Amino acid sequence: MSSLTPPSFNVVVLAAGQGKRMYSDLPKVLHPIAGRPMLAHVLDTARSLGAASICVVHGHGGEAVPAAMAAPDLRWALQSPQLGTGHAVLQALPRLDPSCPTLVLYGDVPLIRAETLRALLAAAGSDALALLTIELADPHGYGRIVRVDGAVSRIVEEKDADDAERAIRETNTGILVAPTAALARWLPGLGNRNAQGEYYLTDIVALAVAEGMPVRTAQPGAEWEVRGVNNKVQLAALERIHQRNLAVRLLDAGVTLADPERIDVRGELLCGRDVSIDVGCVFEGRVELADGVAVGPHCVLKNTTVGAGTRIQAFCHLEDAVVGADNAIGPYARLRPGAALGREVHIGNFVEVKNSTIADHSKANHLAYLGDATVGQRVNIGAGTITCNYDGANKHRTVIEDDAFIGSDTQLVAPVTVGRGATLGAGTTLTRDAPAEQLTVSRPKQISIAAWKRPIKRS
Ligand code: UD1
Ligand code: CA
């Protein structure tokens, strides 16, 4: 028995099924786990194994699947109509290199691990059939591995099995490795005279045995690796398992999670040392949290970098933002695309920042909108300050230089510049540049009328 992974192998991913019980217009394999199509997870795993070629068998949903998953390294085979798993692999056959073995995977079995597949490939070598099997307490619905004197002799589907066969607990996961030349011999001759009228891939096992080809088996490290998705309940269950696995990976790397059951990572989350994350946070795309970052409860961070020592309080939403070190963000802050904050910046509650840079030590602590602004160092933005960056047709920039003080409830009508060290009085509507170091205020003069009397209600 050759124990080495063959240097080269094909992968076929079956992804033609309809997924009727998803009750969705989206083809089943495009339903997401951790924000990405199930099929994408399978393809990642196949790529990580170093597959020589990957062919996806699609059918239901037509071109929607190839369109969604388009990549230069993929080959596609259309299976229409879908006449069974054996028929599906047969469609891929012309796209496979006959000189190396073929690994069959499933677009709706998203969590299969590379190490399990490596073991299966090693078991198959270049000239044997290898099946990934698993003992289940409740094997109902699965194909059963029939053994004679310990050796695999065939697979029988649940619907074709007799009582004795149904009692077998070793089941077929569907994942297998076969010599491709043998598939070319076997698949065209498969029959469909069975309970489901389908061309069963599983029938190749008996054919291999008849030829005297060794049939070997391997088992996954965990049961969830081979779980398939047929409905939203199963999809949600695998999502939780996947998230739990990601959470454990973070914990193992030293990240503090308030509750590993209440974090969702839909992308790549990179954490430094002593990072802590409270409950209910969602991370999307690529998020980087440097050393000592603390993320409060119920924050959403997408494609964002956060510098060392920054604290993000509860209920913040950050997207395409770059946050410097030692910032205080939130609660209830929103950083939109293009927000770039320096060191020790404070962004408080109900402050929205978009396409703006805010330099070191500046603060906007309450109820403000900073859009298309360049804010210098040590600037104080008062409560209720708004950059009027949009004139209905075009966007304009606001420049606020170092050490400026923007009084509360100020509107900065862009394009406009506030000079270094300038002060704007509260309530100012700034339509022209404010000179450095001066107080600028636009406000009707306050008057008091001594003789004024409140009206009295007439009876
Ligand atoms: C199959 C196996 C069974 C195994 C089970 C594990 C066969 C005959 N049976 O049964 O032994 O225990 O998987 O889940 O292989 N597909 C296509 N084209 C088709 C038919 C299926 O692409 O014509 C795809 C489906 O989308 C699905 C996968 O193949 O992803 C399995 O098909 P399914 O019909 O669900 O097979 P099972 O009856 O579950
Ligand atoms: Ca199935």
Side-chain angles (χ1 to χ4, degrees):
M1 155 171 179
S2 65
S3 61
L4 291 172
T5 303
S8 178
F9 59 95
N10 309 299
V11 169
V12 172
V13 183
L14 302 194
Q18 175 174 15
K20 218 181 278 169
R21 284 180 288 149
M22 299 295 277
Y23 300 105
S24 169
D25 293 336
L26 191 66
K28 177 162 80 171
V29 295
L30 297 184
H31 282 266
I33 292 279
R36 298 177 66 227
M38 288 194 278
L39 178 55
H41 291 267
V42 178
L43 295 175
D44 278 359
T45 305
R47 287 177 179 123
S48 79
L49 289 165
S53 72
I54 303 174
C55 179
V56 183
V57 180
H58 70 110
H60 208 86
E63 290 309 304
V65 176
M69 303 303 307
D73 65 333
L74 297 180
R75 304 168 187 188
W76 296 90
L78 180 67
Q79 187 202 17
S80 181
Q82 288 95 50
L83 302 179
T85 49
H87 178 254
V89 176
L90 180 63
Q91 309 312 304
L93 209 50
R95 313 250 188 310
L96 307 180
D97 177 352
S99 71
C100 62
T102 294
L103 165 64
V104 178
L105 299 175
Y106 298 82
D108 58 0
V109 181
L111 300 188
I112 186 69
R113 279 192 300 189
E115 57 201 275
T116 293
L117 297 175
R118 257 183 233 116
L120 187 69
L121 284 159
S126 58
D127 48 13
L129 179 61
L131 309 173
L132 192 67
T133 73
I134 186 168
E135 294 247 356
L136 295 176
D138 175 14
H140 181 82
Y142 291 93
R144 308 298 206 284
I145 308 297
V146 180
R147 291 181 183 264
V148 175
D149 298 331
V152 174
S153 80
R154 63 195 174 92
I155 295 177
V156 61
E157 292 302 296
E158 166 91 20
K159 287 184 178 141
D160 301 294
D162 60 28
D163 287 350
E165 289 162 342
R166 279 200 203 100
I168 298 170
R169 301 217 326 233
E170 186 184 9
T171 65
N172 174 34
T173 66
I175 294 171
L176 57 81
V177 178
T180 306
L183 290 174
R185 281 197 304 280
W186 300 331
L187 294 178
L190 291 180
N192 67 346
R193 282 201 264 148
N194 50 52
Q196 302 182 79
E198 289 181 7
Y199 297 91
Y200 289 166
L201 180 60
T202 44
D203 284 352
I204 68 172
V205 177
L207 296 174
V209 171
E211 283 187 10
M213 182 185 285
V215 180
R216 303 188 182 114
T217 57
Q219 283 70 43
E223 178 272 332
W224 47 258
E225 289 185 60
V226 297
R227 266 202 230 170
V229 171
N230 293 308
N231 58 41
K232 294 288 177 81
V233 172
Q234 293 166 344
L235 182 70
L238 280 195
E239 176 77 36
R240 288 343 302 161
I241 288 165
H242 183 58
Q243 291 299 342
R244 171 81 203 187
N245 292 341
L246 295 175
V248 168
R249 219 180 287 170
L250 291 169
L251 292 169
D252 282 341
V255 177
T256 299
L257 300 179
D259 183 353
E261 306 291 345
R262 284 184 289 168
I263 175 172
D264 284 83
V265 180
R266 301 176 192 152
E268 197 184 357
L269 174 59
L270 301 159
C271 294
R273 288 176 80 82
D274 297 304
V275 166
S276 76
I277 299 170
D278 213 323
V279 300
C281 293
V282 178
F283 298 90
E284 297 178 62
R286 190 172 196 280
V287 174
E288 250 183 272
L289 307 178
D291 294 353
V293 167
V295 182
H298 304 290
C299 292
V300 177
L301 278 75
K302 180 174 183 180
N303 297 323
T304 286
T305 303
V306 182
T310 286
R311 306 187 73 78
I312 299 173
Q313 296 196 65
F315 302 110
C316 290
H317 192 284
L318 282 63
E319 177 175 3
D320 294 317
V322 177
V323 178
D326 297 314
N327 280 214
I329 309 292
Y332 298 102
R334 180 166 185 211
L335 302 184
R336 291 174 50 201
L341 314 184
R343 296 182 68 87
E344 292 186 47
V345 171
H346 292 192
I347 299 294
N349 38 242
F350 308 107
V351 174
E352 173 179 344
V353 181
K354 183 218 75 168
N355 191 30
S356 294
T357 58
I358 301 180
D360 302 352
H361 309 289
S362 287
K363 294 176 184 168
N365 274 329
H366 333 266
L367 300 157
Y369 173 57
L370 297 170
D372 303 305
T374 304
V375 178
Q377 299 187 19
R378 296 172 303 277
V379 168
N380 194 318
I381 308 277
T385 295
I386 284 173
T387 54
C388 307
N389 58 321
Y390 183 54
D391 61 15
N394 297 298
K395 299 211 168 127
H396 305 280
R397 281 204 86 76
T398 298
V399 176
I400 303 173
E401 294 179 355
D402 294 349
D403 298 297
F405 181 98
I406 311 297
S408 298
D409 197 27
T410 293
Q411 299 102 54
L412 300 143
V413 182
V416 75
T417 295
V418 177
R420 170 183 285 265
T423 298
L424 301 190
T428 292
T429 300
L430 193 73
T431 52
R432 284 174 284 128
D433 292 353
E437 308 296 342
Q438 298 181 24
L439 170 67
T440 298
V441 58
S442 82
R443 195 191 288 167
K445 260 212 160 54
Q446 181 169 323
I447 55 167
S448 302
I449 300 169
W452 181 80
K453 291 268 184 299
R454 257 189 217 173
I456 294 164
K457 197 166 190 167
R458 271 186 286 238
S459 48

